[in-house]
Amino acid sequence: MAQKQLIIGLFGFGVVGEGLYKVLQQTPSLKASIKKVCIKHPGKKRNAPVDLFTTDKDSILNDPEINVVVEVIDDSNAAFQIVSTALRNGKAVVSASKKMIAEHIQELLDLQKDTHQPFLYEAAACASIPVIRNLEEYYDNDLLHSIKAIVNGSTNFILTKMFEEKLDFKQALILAQQLGFAESNPSLDVEGYDAVNKWSFLLTHAYGAIVHPGEVVFTGIQHIQAGDAVVAREKNYQIKLVAQAQKLLNGKVAAFVLPQFVKPEDHLSFVKNEYNGVVIESGFADKQFFYGKGAGSFPTASAVLSDISALRYEYRYEYKKLYHHTPLELTADFHVKAYVSFDEWKHIPKEEFNWIEEWHAESERKYLIGVLPFSLLQQRTWWKENNVSLILAPDPIIEDVEVRQLKKKSLELAGII
Ligand SMILES: NC(=O)c1ccc[n+]([C@@H]2O[C@H](COP(=O)([O-])OP(=O)(O)OC[C@H]3O[C@@H](n4cnc5c(N)ncnc54)[C@H](OP(=O)(O)O)[C@@H]3O)[C@@H](O)[C@H]2O)c1
């Protein structure tokens, strides 16, 4: 079959855009060439010929010769305008803009249906790890039991340094910024927004659920204290910011992005520094582990390149779990086991816990480990206020049917009944 010649209009020439430009120069066999690059600031010095650049987006969007638009800019509103116009103008689109995709997933699904154009975005989640295409193509809805992942490299870097070099949160953040693993304004990463953005559209590919990031319970690592790392170390755990989803017995999906204690035998404990990792548990295959760089110029450009390459054979996401299966819904009808550290008891609604298994109240910083309904985490904010730090226990999800049995067992162990 003759290979389709791809003529690319590129939006953005920053970390990812310039990386793609270089990577494409090293892969002539791909039969893909960049005709024009649209950027924002024409005065900047670029490592590419001057006549390649423009600030006029229409010179790409209205060019009939350009059949692929690659959008890698850092402005999600402008990105959505560019992507939607390109699709409507009959162009295939590749993007890495996770915030834009998370915020507009329903409109982007509609646009793909209406225009019959492919829209690929493997680089938007876990960069170099091919997680979207695997979820799309390999795992049937019925077989995908659970997926959990470290999807944000900056927070993983900070947690690794807090843990291994015993730095406190601020010192670890400064180091991450010095080494280029965290932005000068790190709140998008540190407070969990970046992770929940990626998680929301990964849930579409995993289970067919269409969720706005605001509907997923999440926080980042901003409340984690050096003392939490001490407790974790005593228990032989690490702390990770884990995005998790699991199919429950009621056929619905439990999903969240929260800090979590991770056991040494958990594959995610292997994921250190700026790396990402994904563990998928499926019906008969048991666990599979994907590991790789979740950011950076070439790792991200490699995923964009792979999408461009896939366009040659007319690849597109079919959203099988959404259109060909019964899409699954998220639920809050389950319980979680969590560790909570805090300065004062008055900030902790003890009555909301089903039971408390362990507590240490003597020192200045106190903590407890208990089980509570997830719906109360969804409704309340005490667990992210007043210097309270909440970290889920390993294997934190407890189904409703298990709660009574486990409560009895834990009260027996505590000698209460
Ligand atoms: N960096 C990573 O490791 C990584 C990984 C995965 C996904 N992503 C995503 O990829 C996208 C790009 O990230 P990046 O790190 O490459 O960003 P970046 O280094 O900040 O570069 C952004 C580029 O976008 C251009 N730009 C901004 N607004 C524009 C507009 N309205 N029209 C045309 N060009 C515009 C800028 O132009 P000027 O050069 O003129 O300022 C710049 O070239 C983001 O959505 C990011 O979330 C990044």
Side-chain angles (χ1 to χ4, degrees), residues 11-17 38-41 44 46 72-75 78 82 96-98 123 127 294-296 300:
F11 283 84
F13 202 74
V15 175
V16 184
C38 181
I39 38 78
K40 194 170 183 186
H41 302 101
K44 272 192 199 170
R46 317 275 173 182
V72 285
I73 71 171
D74 59 344
D75 171 341
I82 290 162
S97 297
K98 49 234 173 175
T300 311

Side-chain angles (χ1 to χ4, degrees), residues 10-19 37-46 53-55 57 71-79 82 95-100 122-128 183 188 194 198 294-301 304:
L10 174 63
F11 283 84
F13 202 74
V15 175
V16 184
E18 188 173 350
V37 182
C38 181
I39 38 78
K40 194 170 183 186
H41 302 101
K44 272 192 199 170
K45 200 179 157 342
R46 317 275 173 182
F53 293 94
T54 179
T55 51
K57 64 180 188 320
E71 177 282 303
V72 285
I73 71 171
D74 59 344
D75 171 341
S76 62
N77 293 329
I82 290 162
S95 169
S97 297
K98 49 234 173 175
K99 186 165 183 279
M100 182 274 288
E122 188 62 74
C126 302
S128 72
E183 305 285 335
L188 266 182
D194 177 76
K198 293 166 183 167
S297 186
F298 285 170
T300 311
V304 175

Side-chain angles (χ1 to χ4, degrees), residues 146-149 266-268 277-281 287-289:
S146 73
I147 162 167
K148 64 178 183 176
D266 190 317
H267 294 81
L268 293 185
V278 184
V279 181
I280 292 178
E281 198 169 350
K287 284 184 184 152
Q288 284 148 323
F289 177 45

Side-chain angles (χ1 to χ4, degrees), residues 249-262:
L249 294 170
N250 65 11
K252 295 185 178 175
V253 175
F256 44 79
V257 178
L258 293 168
Q260 195 169 130
F261 284 148
V262 171

